[in-house]
Amino acid sequence: MSKVYSIAIDGPAGAGKSTMAKAVAKELGFVYVDTGAIYRTVGYHMDLMGIGPKDIDGINRLIDDVNLKLTYDEDGLQHMILNGADVTDEIRTPKMSKIASEVSKHKVVRDFLLDTQRNVAKEHSVIMDGRDIGTVVLPDADVKIFLTASVEVRAQRRYKELLEKGQKVQYADVLRDMEERDYQDTHRAIAPLKCASDAICLDTGDMDLEQSIEAMKKIIKDRIGVC
């Protein structure tokens, strides 16, 4: 069996994790795993069932009803299948972002999803992004990168992305939501967002997307020589 590689990409919301990781994974022929989408899907299920993201009793009661599958289209886009239904588009809203941040605080949810994430990395070479990949999910990853940029830069990126999707949003609201998300992610008691001690920090604030992708590829090439 040929060696499988694991690349962990962590960082706050809007740092470009998903876009960059997806592009690099496609070039390498790796499987891209968007763990944020997995948490969003759990949050989406709870919301559908009328369970609030802070309702630990309700989440405990319904967590085993969550049947998740990850599928990929020809372009490598990860689709989230929840109990047989594709909810990929439904989970990409500011509301689901907030819910995911709250749901991800609960140990029962993180434990429920941990094996799902690790099993993918055992079977395939992966680029996996999230907020605790290098610190918790894949602590022995071959490469760990922590992506970052100022909250203003990240909010502007997310604002533009939402506008392009046809959503009516205000930049001030996006900025406020992102500041709240940053606080929640870095202050949660379980697996808070932080840079792993052996991760390379990559600040993309002054880079465009192409430059950011090239910088990520160089880090990977220097570590494992596959780019």
Side-chain angles (χ1 to χ4, degrees):
M1 179 179 178
S2 59
K3 176 176 173 55
V4 295
Y5 293 98
S6 56
I7 300 171
I9 310 294
D10 289 306
K17 300 185 300 296
S18 296
T19 302
M20 294 169 60
K22 191 184 305 178
V24 175
K26 186 175 182 179
E27 286 196 35
L28 298 182
F30 283 17
V31 170
Y32 165 63
V33 183
D34 176 2
T35 63
I38 300 175
Y39 283 99
R40 285 170 181 257
T41 304
V42 173
Y44 181 74
H45 176 77
M46 296 303 166
D47 189 55
L48 282 179
M49 296 297 104
I51 302 298
K54 296 181 181 181
D55 182 357
I56 186 60
D57 290 335
I59 291 172
N60 271 311
R61 189 171 65 253
L62 295 184
I63 190 68
D64 289 333
D65 294 339
V66 178
N67 185 342
L68 290 179
K69 290 184 180 180
L70 283 67
T71 65
Y72 295 86
D73 64 18
E74 293 181 355
D75 293 326
L77 176 65
Q78 175 179 306
H79 286 258
M80 295 306 306
I81 311 301
L82 170 64
N83 297 331
D86 190 330
V87 298
T88 304
D89 292 335
E90 287 81 354
I91 64 174
R92 293 298 178 183
T93 66
K95 176 184 177 181
M96 284 302 113
S97 179
K98 287 183 178 181
I99 288 177
S101 185
E102 287 290 343
V103 164
S104 65
K105 294 178 182 179
H106 302 306
K107 186 176 186 299
V108 64
V109 176
R110 305 197 77 83
D111 289 347
F112 178 76
L113 296 177
L114 189 58
D115 285 343
T116 298
Q117 298 168 84
R118 286 179 173 172
N119 287 339
V120 176
K122 288 178 182 177
E123 298 172 2
H124 309 276
S125 287
V126 300
I127 296 185
M128 188 177 295
D129 73 29
R131 286 164 177 75
D132 65 343
I133 308 306
T135 55
V136 177
V137 180
L138 301 177
D140 298 319
D142 296 290
V143 183
K144 298 179 184 180
I145 300 173
F146 190 87
L147 287 179
T148 189
S150 72
V151 68
E152 291 82 9
V153 168
R154 291 185 284 115
Q156 184 62 43
R157 291 172 177 169
R158 181 60 53 81
Y159 173 64
K160 181 180 178 182
E161 175 187 336
L162 293 173
L163 289 180
E164 290 174 348
K165 291 182 177 180
Q167 297 186 27
K168 295 181 180 180
V169 292
Q170 299 295 322
Y171 169 74
D173 294 332
V174 176
L175 177 61
R176 184 181 64 254
D177 288 347
M178 191 159 288
E179 289 172 336
E180 292 176 358
R181 181 73 187 270
D182 285 355
Y183 184 85
Q184 291 173 356
D185 288 344
T186 56
H187 288 77
R188 67 189 182 208
I190 301 172
L193 169 66
K194 62 181 179 179
C195 182
S197 60
D198 54 347
I200 296 174
C201 185
L202 176 58
D203 189 326
T204 65
D206 293 328
M207 303 180 189
D208 61 24
L209 179 58
E210 184 177 348
Q211 291 170 330
S212 300
I213 291 173
E214 288 303 313
M216 179 182 286
K217 286 169 56 179
K218 184 178 187 307
I219 292 171
I220 297 171
K221 181 178 180 180
D222 289 347
R223 286 297 180 94
I224 61 176
V226 295
C227 285

